[in-house]
């Protein structure tokens, strides 16, 4: 990625219309700003020991980014749509902003929120039991989290797959045995020698042909045919459906490439020695003082070549055996690593699924108890333990045990993003707001399932159709017996506030609102968190909530409704 950016800056001189021009600018475009700036930031800081691998404080990392920007400026679009050169602060902050928006957009069910997932592989069973208690997001039943199962996945202290060498060797022996190929055919040296003789004869008749490529091909075909092909066949027999065809092709391609390199290295040395021998032969033949005949000299060097071919063949046999062992182990390591990676990914996906089951509750908690000062560090202090357990299925103390699985920077940024969005959409009287904050709060596994805004409007429309001019009458009363979001009451309040009849009775906007909340709208919420969510939304348009007397109560009406005592309950609550 970085090479592309720097190479595009190479000087280029070109001729056009009778003049020479030199390239003055180079641009690399990327349409994923988060990726671009993350790579840039990591590259800038990985060049220095004090900040490589995520080390160093923000100031030091900012300095290194500033230095790289001198050689590699980054241009981006600002809030006004203008292209500007980014400074170090923007390089650091823009990816965070993008990630936090993505987290909020997905109702906090984003993997951006999580970190250190691989640490769970070394965690005690108690941690896995906590994660198991968290409801999952997916409907399909995930794999059970068991420490015994996780221990079977070979990971190192950093959570990376690490197949022990003794395991690789043991599996290799079990699959391929001590030797997968027979002895080198006796015809190999004869073929090599015959190719040399044929080439010499062709040279004498004016048809000189280089025998080195021919020998190289013979040896390469032997290595591929007697080693690569049998290894691939045995691998497919042993693993069967456990490996994909694409994996087999990759392994075969890699082994073939290694076979070619093994032979090319061997023949490269042989070719150099052969050239030296031929130079020596030529010198000896051209030496006028030599007491040897040309026939004797040629016979001497033919014998040297024959010895060299025998040595090369012996060396090839040794390299072949080494290649067999390495190829068997490399094949096993490749497949076992891929299997372990799949097992690890499955386990991590299960863990993340449980964590997303928890993280989807975060927007509800923020609606009920949150403000711009909430961070991961104090998140567990703003919510009553009873409410937390009711919504998440775990206690606050248990949450603290898994807290390090959440990325604090992304968490904190996302909370701020959500609170800002909540404030932006708080005024439900503003018809320009086509969405509401509940678009960003996913359904919960508990009874916190919010009726969509468009459905609420249809419900109120139907109410008005059945009761014409009901919103013009200041004596009409309305109640939501089982509030969830507060959207229904908010829509009623808005219709009453904007009705012509109410405006005539109460021209003063504040007095009109006072009358509506005090005399006309009523609501009951089944739990504390739902009560807070609903009332926070209903009064979200104002910072003077305490100025309004209202008739909203925390009470679960379901038992009374089932027993037929609902009216008695309402009389008691609103006597």
């Amino acid at each position: 990625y970085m090479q592309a950016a720097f190479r595009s800056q190479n000087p280029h001189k070109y001729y056009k219309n009778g003049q020479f021009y030199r390239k003055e600018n180079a641009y690399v475009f990327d349409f994923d700003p988060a990726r671009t700036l993350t790579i840039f930031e990591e590259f800038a800081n990985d060049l220095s020991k004090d900040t490589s691998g995520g080390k160093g404080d923000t100031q030091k990392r900012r300095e290194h980014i500033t230095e790289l920007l001198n050689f590699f400026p980054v241009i981006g679009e600002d809030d006004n749509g203008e292209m500007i050169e980014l400074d170090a602060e923007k390089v650091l902050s823009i990816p965070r902003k993008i990630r936090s928006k993505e987290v909020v957009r997905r109702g906090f069910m984003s993997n951006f929120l999580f970190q250190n997932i691989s640490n769970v592989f070394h965690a005690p069973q108690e941690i896995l039991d906590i994660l198991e208690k968290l409801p999952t997001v997916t409907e399909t039943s995930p794999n059970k989290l068991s420490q015994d199962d996780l221990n079977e996945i070979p990971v190192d202290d950093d959570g990376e797959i690490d197949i022990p060498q003794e395991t690789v060797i043991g599996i290799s022996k079990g699959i391929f045995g001590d030797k997968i190929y027979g002895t080198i055919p006796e015809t190999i040296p004869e073929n090599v020698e015959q190719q040399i003789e044929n080439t010499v004869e062709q040279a004498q008749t004016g048809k000189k042909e280089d025998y080195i490529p021919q020998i190289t091909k013979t040896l390469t075909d032997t290595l591929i045919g007697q080693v690569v092909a049998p290894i691939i066949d045995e691998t497919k027999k042993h693993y069967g459906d456990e490996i994909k065809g694409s994996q087999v092709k990759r392994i075969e391609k890699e082994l073939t490439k290694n076979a070619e390199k093994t032979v090319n290295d061997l023949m490269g040395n042989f070719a150099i020695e052969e050239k030296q021998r031929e130079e020596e032969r030529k010198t000896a033949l051209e030496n006028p003082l030599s007491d040897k005949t040309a026939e004797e000299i040629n016979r001497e060097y033919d014998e040297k070549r024959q010895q060299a071919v025998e040595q090369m063949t012996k060396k090839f046999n040794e390299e072949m055996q080494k290649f067999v062992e390495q190829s068997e182990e490399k094949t096993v390591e490749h497949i076992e690593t891929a299997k372990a990676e799949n097992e690890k990914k499955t386990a991590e996906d299960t863990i993340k699924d449980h964590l997303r089951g928890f993280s989807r509750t975060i927007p509800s908690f923020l609606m009920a108890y949150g403000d711009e000062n909430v961070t991961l560090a104090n998140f567990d202090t703003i919510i009553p333990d009873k409410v937390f357990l009711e919504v998440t299925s775990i206690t606050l103390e248990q949450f603290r045990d898994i807290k390090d699985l959440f990325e604090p920077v992304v968490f904190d940024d996302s909370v701020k993003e959500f609170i800002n969005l909540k404030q932006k959409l708080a005024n439900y009287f503003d018809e320009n707001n086509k969405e509401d904050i509940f678009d960003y709060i996913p359904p919960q596994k508990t009874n916190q399932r919010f009726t969509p805004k468009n459905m609420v409007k249809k419900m109120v429309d139907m109410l008005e159709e059945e009761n014409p001019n009901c919103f013009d009458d200041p004596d009409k009363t309305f109640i939501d017996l089982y509030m969830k979001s507060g959207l229904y009451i908010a829509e009623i309040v808005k219709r009453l506030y904007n009705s012509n009849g109410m405006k005539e009775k109460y021209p003063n906007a504040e007095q009109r609102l006072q009358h509506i909340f005090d005399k006309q709208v009523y609501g009951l919420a089944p739990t504390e968190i739902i009560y807070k969510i609903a009332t926070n939304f209903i009064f979200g348009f104002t910072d003077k909530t305490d100025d309004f007397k209202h008739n909203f109560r925390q009470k679960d009406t379901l038992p009374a409704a089932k027993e037929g005592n609902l009216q008695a309950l309402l009389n008691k609550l609103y006597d």
Side-chain angles (χ1 to χ4, degrees):
Y1 192 98
M2 285 296 162
Q3 283 184 355
F6 279 107
R7 285 179 178 176
S8 66
Q9 300 179 58
N10 289 345
H12 173 61
K13 192 175 182 180
Y14 60 98
Y15 185 78
K16 184 179 179 181
N17 299 329
Q19 285 188 303
F20 282 100
Y21 297 88
R22 187 178 297 279
K23 179 178 68 178
E24 296 181 359
N25 298 299
Y27 298 94
V28 176
F29 290 87
D30 194 327
F31 297 96
D32 186 343
R35 176 181 61 190
T36 304
L37 298 178
T38 298
I39 291 174
F40 188 96
E41 189 270 334
E42 289 175 351
F43 182 76
N45 284 291
D46 283 347
L47 292 172
S48 301
K49 284 185 177 181
D50 57 348
T51 54
S52 63
K55 298 192 297 288
D57 56 27
T58 302
Q59 181 56 35
K60 201 67 180 174
R61 298 182 73 82
R62 188 182 290 112
E63 290 173 5
H64 290 158
I65 295 171
T66 300
E67 184 178 5
L68 182 60
L69 285 170
N70 291 329
F71 305 96
F72 182 5
V74 179
I75 299 171
E77 185 179 4
D78 66 8
D79 293 336
N80 298 318
E82 298 291 332
M83 299 303 291
I84 61 170
E85 197 167 301
L86 305 186
D87 57 20
E89 183 58 38
K90 287 187 175 64
V91 170
L92 284 168
S93 63
I94 289 176
R96 290 174 52 177
K97 184 73 172 176
I98 292 172
R99 289 194 182 98
S100 65
K101 284 186 174 181
E102 175 66 10
V103 169
V104 172
R105 186 184 71 81
R106 298 192 59 180
F108 280 71
M109 292 190 294
S110 168
N111 288 340
F112 283 145
L113 272 177
F114 312 134
Q115 66 171 2
N116 303 325
I117 298 300
S118 57
N119 287 352
V120 177
F121 288 89
H122 303 292
Q125 184 63 43
E126 289 78 8
I127 297 298
L128 299 180
D129 291 341
I130 293 172
L131 293 172
E132 278 276 303
K133 290 181 179 180
L134 297 173
T136 58
V137 173
T138 56
E139 293 299 325
T140 55
S141 178
N143 296 335
K144 185 173 177 60
L145 294 172
S146 164
Q147 191 59 59
D148 290 338
D149 293 338
L150 294 183
N151 284 338
E152 291 180 3
I153 302 175
V155 294
D156 58 22
D157 292 339
D158 296 323
E160 300 298 327
I161 294 297
D162 183 20
I163 309 291
Q165 188 61 25
E166 57 269 21
T167 301
V168 172
I169 295 173
I171 296 175
S172 297
K173 294 299 182 185
I175 298 174
F176 305 111
D178 293 332
K179 220 174 190 183
I180 198 169
Y181 66 97
T183 57
I184 300 292
E186 296 297 331
T187 56
I188 289 294
E190 296 176 6
N191 286 344
V192 172
E193 181 62 27
Q194 186 63 50
Q195 288 171 358
I196 293 175
E197 290 178 2
N198 291 343
T199 304
V200 172
E201 290 176 4
Q202 290 169 357
Q204 292 172 348
T205 59
K207 298 179 181 179
K208 185 173 182 181
E209 200 172 293
D210 189 358
Y211 55 84
I212 297 296
Q214 296 178 31
I215 300 173
T216 301
K217 185 177 186 306
T218 299
L219 298 183
T220 301
D221 290 346
T222 299
L223 202 55
I224 293 173
Q226 290 188 243
V227 179
V228 175
I231 285 177
I232 295 299
D233 289 341
E234 289 299 319
T235 298
K236 289 193 286 190
K237 287 178 186 176
H238 178 80
Y239 286 103
D241 295 336
E242 290 185 87
I243 55 172
K244 299 178 181 178
S246 57
Q247 273 184 289
V248 175
K249 288 181 180 179
R250 281 198 300 271
I251 295 171
E252 186 174 13
K253 184 177 180 181
E254 182 179 353
L255 295 185
T256 300
K257 184 179 178 180
N258 292 342
E260 293 170 347
K261 183 179 185 303
T262 298
V263 174
N264 287 334
D265 290 346
L266 181 68
M267 291 307 300
N269 294 329
F270 179 82
I272 293 172
E273 294 170 359
E274 178 66 4
K275 185 175 182 180
Q276 290 175 342
R277 282 191 293 271
E278 289 304 307
E279 289 293 332
E280 291 173 3
R281 183 203 297 263
K282 182 179 179 182
T283 300
L285 290 172
E286 293 175 351
N287 184 4
L289 302 178
S290 174
D291 57 353
K292 295 181 181 180
T293 65
E295 183 179 353
E296 291 173 331
I297 292 173
N298 282 327
R299 185 166 54 248
E300 176 185 343
Y301 280 95
D302 286 345
E303 289 175 357
K304 288 184 178 180
R305 175 190 287 128
Q306 179 62 32
Q307 293 172 0
V309 169
E310 292 174 357
Q311 291 175 357
M312 182 265 293
T313 305
K314 181 181 178 182
K315 179 68 173 174
F316 173 71
N317 190 19
E318 294 171 354
E319 290 296 320
M320 188 174 184
Q321 293 191 43
K322 189 189 302 181
F323 178 79
V324 169
E325 183 178 332
Q326 292 175 345
S327 297
E328 289 174 348
E329 293 178 4
K330 191 177 290 293
T331 299
V332 169
E333 184 178 16
H334 178 95
I335 294 174
E336 292 296 325
T337 298
K339 286 173 58 182
E341 289 285 2
N342 286 336
E343 292 172 4
K344 179 190 173 193
K345 183 178 184 304
T346 298
E348 288 181 337
D349 286 346
T350 300
I351 293 167
K352 290 175 182 176
D353 201 26
H354 282 283
L355 289 174
R356 284 194 297 272
F358 168 82
S359 65
R360 69 177 167 192
T361 67
I362 295 174
S364 293
F365 287 132
L366 295 177
M367 276 296 294
Y369 304 99
D371 57 31
E372 65 276 5
N373 298 313
V374 172
T375 63
L376 181 61
N378 64 22
F379 180 70
D380 54 334
T381 67
I382 66 170
I383 308 163
D385 190 66
K386 180 182 177 182
V387 175
F388 194 86
L389 177 61
E390 175 189 300
V391 175
T392 68
S393 304
I394 63 172
T395 66
L396 283 168
E397 192 59 40
Q398 289 172 324
F399 169 70
R400 294 179 188 114
D401 289 336
I402 62 171
K403 205 180 204 181
D404 64 347
L405 297 177
F406 293 86
E407 213 291 331
V409 172
V410 177
F411 187 99
D412 296 351
D413 288 347
S414 301
V415 168
K416 288 183 174 62
E417 181 69 23
F418 181 85
I419 295 299
N420 288 338
L421 188 60
K422 173 189 170 186
Q423 294 169 349
K424 177 182 176 183
L425 300 175
N427 185 9
Y428 51 84
F429 293 101
D430 185 355
E431 295 296 338
N432 292 321
N433 283 338
K434 301 303 180 185
E435 56 182 0
D436 63 78
I437 194 61
F438 295 100
D439 294 333
Y440 300 89
I441 304 179
Q444 310 295 300
K445 282 291 184 182
T446 60
N447 60 359
Q448 285 180 244
R449 294 177 178 269
F450 307 115
T451 306
K453 186 176 183 177
N454 63 334
M455 183 56 66
V456 169
K457 287 188 174 183
K458 288 181 180 179
M459 291 165 59
V460 178
D461 287 341
M462 292 171 63
L463 176 66
E464 190 170 17
E465 287 175 9
E466 295 173 4
N467 301 273
N469 304 317
C470 62
F471 297 118
D472 292 322
D473 186 349
D475 295 323
K476 287 285 186 184
T477 57
F478 305 82
I479 189 170
D480 186 341
L481 294 168
Y482 207 84
M483 289 197 301
K484 294 290 188 65
S485 61
L487 274 168
Y488 181 75
I489 290 295
E491 186 64 23
I492 295 290
V493 170
K494 185 169 67 173
R495 301 282 180 104
L496 288 168
Y497 179 80
N498 290 325
S499 75
N500 292 327
M502 290 293 293
K503 286 180 179 179
E504 289 178 7
K505 276 281 188 180
Y506 299 95
N508 181 278
E510 187 171 339
Q511 290 179 359
R512 188 158 69 249
L513 281 172
Q514 288 281 7
H515 175 81
I516 292 169
F517 285 118
D518 186 19
K519 303 295 183 182
Q520 291 191 271
V521 292
Y522 297 76
L524 299 168
T527 64
E528 177 182 325
I529 188 170
I530 293 179
Y531 174 79
K532 284 186 171 292
I533 289 172
T535 53
N536 285 348
F537 177 75
I538 293 168
F539 292 107
F541 67 91
T542 178
D543 56 359
K544 300 178 180 179
T545 306
D546 295 337
D547 293 348
F548 292 101
K549 182 181 177 183
H550 63 79
N551 300 292
F552 306 126
R553 305 286 185 268
Q554 179 189 329
K555 188 65 180 179
D556 188 352
T557 58
L558 191 56
K562 288 181 177 180
E563 296 168 4
N565 299 324
L566 183 57
Q567 188 59 55
L569 175 63
L570 295 178
N571 292 338
K572 180 179 178 181
L573 289 173
Y574 298 111
D575 185 11

